[in-house]
């Protein structure tokens, strides 16, 4: 298996210094805050050389939805474990009459829940 090496960056030999006004600095700072893997010099260099600038956004409104989905997934997993435990216990009974009795009991409970709605 061959590993791909990233090409070595060019040696940067020229230093540029510039000043910007407050609105421009705030724009650059907000871009930098959305891309935590950069620093200001890399950001400005990417803008000057017209390279793509990656901006990471996070939709805070989805946080509650994702939390609820995670909770539901955990609850469904617990229900599945309970069903597996009940099925395992049910299959340990060798007598068909006993299985039929418990199956009838469960069916009556399920039917009762449906009629209460």
């Amino acid at each position: 298996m061959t590993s791909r090496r990233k090409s070595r960056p060019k040696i940067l030999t020229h230093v540029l210094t510039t000043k910007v006004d407050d609105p421009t600095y705030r724009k650059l700072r907000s871009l930098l805050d959305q891309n935590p893997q950069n620093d200001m010099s890399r950001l400005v260099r990417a803008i000057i050389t017209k390279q793509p600038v990656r901006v990471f956004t996070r939709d805070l409104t989805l946080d509650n939805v994702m939390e609820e989905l995670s909770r539901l997934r955990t609850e469904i997993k617990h229900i599945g474990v309970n069903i597996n435990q009940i099925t395992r216990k049910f299959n340990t009974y060798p007598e068909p009459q006993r299985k039929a009795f418990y199956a009838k009991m469960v069916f009556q409970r399920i039917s009762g829940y449906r009629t209460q709605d």
Side-chain angles (χ1 to χ4, degrees), residues 101-113:
F101 170 74
Y102 285 121
K104 189 174 181 181
M105 243 175 58
V106 170
F107 181 73
Q108 287 174 348
R109 280 194 174 177
I110 291 173
S111 299
Y113 287 133

Side-chain angles (χ1 to χ4, degrees), residues 84-110:
N84 286 341
Q85 289 173 347
I86 292 167
T87 304
R88 176 182 247 171
K89 181 71 173 172
F90 180 79
N91 287 329
T92 61
Y93 300 129
E95 311 90 31
Q97 297 86 6
R98 196 169 187 182
K99 285 184 178 181
F101 170 74
Y102 285 121
K104 189 174 181 181
M105 243 175 58
V106 170
F107 181 73
Q108 287 174 348
R109 280 194 174 177
I110 291 173

Side-chain angles (χ1 to χ4, degrees), residues 7-62:
S7 61
R8 289 187 174 183
K10 298 175 185 174
I11 297 174
L12 306 174
T13 57
H14 301 285
V15 176
L16 298 176
T17 305
T18 185
K19 291 184 179 184
V20 293
D21 57 1
D22 277 342
T24 305
Y25 182 77
R26 282 193 292 263
K27 285 181 190 176
L28 290 171
R29 194 79 218 159
S30 70
L31 279 174
L32 191 60
D33 290 342
Q34 293 174 348
N35 190 351
Q37 299 167 344
N38 265 340
D39 55 13
M40 186 63 81
S41 61
R42 286 184 187 164
L43 176 66
V44 173
R45 194 177 304 120
I47 292 171
I48 290 173
T49 59
K50 297 182 182 178
Q51 294 175 350
V53 176
R54 291 186 180 175
V55 177
F56 298 97
T57 58
R58 182 173 173 196
D59 189 359
L60 297 176
T61 59
L62 288 179

